[in-house]
Amino acid sequence: HVGARIHWAMSLSRRQGRPTSRRGRSLAFALAAAAVITLGLSLWPDPQVPATAVLAPQAAPAEPTMVSAPAPVHGLVTMTTGAVSRDGAPLLDSLNQPVRAGTTLATEDGSVAVQFEQGAGFHLGPASALVLRRFDDEAIEIEVQGRVDVDLTHRPDGQRFIITAASSRVEVRGTRFRVDEQEGAVLVACTRGEVAVSVAGAKDFAVAAGTVLQVRGRQAHAASLPKRELEELDRSLEIP
């Protein structure tokens, strides 16, 4: 080491009793300065050598979550009377015509019945129209103008059945009922089970079997059906 040699030479001169000359001192200082420069360069990082980056371990990519789409429900036309259209075209060869999500049905002086499960279906009355907004094993959503009768004797567990008419929303909890919308007024009559009716801007109403609910705007009035009317209505709600 250069500094050690300088220190050793000066110490030896002192031990031998020889005075250090000016030239010797200059040489010693020069050697010491060179040693300091050399030491500094050895400690200063070389800009040509890139620093080694320490990379943090990366987590493995998450496995994608597979979400299965709801299974579509397929309905069939089982009966028509009078003038009926499907998706804007006359329904001529009516029997067993398919009905699926997005289908529009309309009647003039006639009617049309649709079954989509064993023991489940609906019947659209005269001068009425509906569109199937959703039609799958998780939810069936129908928007109706006019009258529709619904029979849900057997409905899959977990499947919601909703009918929207004017400002009212009817959600099925029971099995057999009628929704009749005329000029913004809605009548909901239930012969079996129970349906829940939500009125815009008002509270929800539970319509039990044997009860009829009349809704106009935010006003709603419930009444019991006489036994004879209830029996006649229940028979008329059987889907052909």
Side-chain angles (χ1 to χ4, degrees), residues 116-131:
F116 48 88
E117 299 284 353
Q118 183 176 4
F122 59 82
H123 181 218
L124 186 66
S128 302
L130 65 75
V131 58

Side-chain angles (χ1 to χ4, degrees), residues 167-216:
S167 61
S168 299
R169 176 184 173 96
V170 181
E171 183 161 358
V172 180
R173 296 174 184 167
T175 58
R176 189 173 286 185
F177 63 98
R178 167 176 289 173
V179 177
D180 192 356
E181 183 274 332
Q182 299 295 333
E183 298 180 355
V186 179
L187 180 145
V188 180
C190 183
T191 63
R192 301 185 188 185
E194 184 180 87
V195 296
V197 179
S198 300
V199 180
K203 66 177 183 179
D204 295 346
F205 298 89
V207 182
T211 305
V212 58
L213 181 73
Q214 295 179 331
V215 180
R216 181 178 291 276

Side-chain angles (χ1 to χ4, degrees), residues 137-238:
D137 62 351
E138 291 185 0
I140 294 176
E141 297 181 10
I142 300 175
E143 184 178 343
V144 63
Q145 291 179 325
R147 191 188 82 198
V148 63
D149 299 336
V150 180
D151 187 355
L152 298 177
T153 305
H154 301 288
R155 184 163 56 96
D157 293 337
Q159 183 191 62
R160 303 178 66 192
F161 192 100
I162 300 168
I163 292 182
T164 303
S167 61
S168 299
R169 176 184 173 96
V170 181
E171 183 161 358
V172 180
R173 296 174 184 167
T175 58
R176 189 173 286 185
F177 63 98
R178 167 176 289 173
V179 177
D180 192 356
E181 183 274 332
Q182 299 295 333
E183 298 180 355
V186 179
L187 180 145
V188 180
C190 183
T191 63
R192 301 185 188 185
E194 184 180 87
V195 296
V197 179
S198 300
V199 180
K203 66 177 183 179
D204 295 346
F205 298 89
V207 182
T211 305
V212 58
L213 181 73
Q214 295 179 331
V215 180
R216 181 178 291 276
R218 297 183 180 181
Q219 303 297 320
H221 175 72
S224 297
L225 286 169
K227 182 178 180 181
R228 184 174 178 178
E229 289 185 20
L230 176 61
E231 291 174 351
E232 291 178 353
L233 178 60
D234 188 64
R235 285 194 297 270
S236 69
L237 294 181
E238 294 180 359

